Amino acid sequence: MALKHNSKTSKLFLGLCFDALGFVSFVFPVFDVIWAPLSGYLMSQLYDGKKGKIAGIIVFIEEALPLSDVIPTFTIMWIYTYYFDETLKIQDEASDY
């Protein structure tokens, strides 16, 4: 999958959709058995490197635990990546020159 090369807006949209999919387990609790590992994989594919792998583990644990599906992990990761991660800001500034 080429999720890492999506635009900023596409990643936000995908993250919102993936967070919404997490709510399915409130209706069908068995869905978490499929969704937890899949969400971990998708998170690691959306974001590069170490932070993507760590976020993948976190989202897997969050989706596997009962009643924690209300946490919008994909959206939180998007906000962290584009507003709080200093390495991305440094790379953007360097590409401006």
Side-chain angles (χ1 to χ4, degrees):
M1 292 180 116
L3 294 176
K4 291 177 184 169
H5 304 294
N6 284 351
S7 71
K8 188 176 174 178
T9 308
S10 297
K11 285 185 180 184
L12 176 60
F13 179 73
L14 286 171
L16 291 170
C17 290
F18 294 154
D19 284 332
L21 269 174
F23 287 112
V24 171
S25 65
F26 285 118
V27 179
F28 302 108
V30 180
F31 182 70
D32 271 342
V33 174
I34 298 165
W35 180 240
L38 182 60
S39 65
Y41 172 76
L42 290 170
M43 181 71 85
S44 67
Q45 293 301 304
L46 268 175
Y47 299 99
D48 288 332
K50 189 176 180 180
K51 71 178 178 182
K53 291 176 185 172
I54 292 170
I57 292 168
I58 291 171
V59 75
F60 171 78
I61 293 169
E62 182 257 327
E63 292 294 340
L65 291 174
L67 302 176
S68 64
D69 295 328
V70 296
I71 302 169
T73 315
F74 283 93
T75 307
I76 290 170
M77 181 60 180
W78 185 87
I79 292 169
Y80 168 76
T81 299
Y82 293 107
Y83 289 100
F84 294 108
D85 189 14
E86 293 297 322
T87 58
L88 189 63
K89 290 178 186 175
I90 292 168
Q91 289 172 355
D92 286 344
E93 288 173 3
S95 67
D96 288 342
Y97 295 108

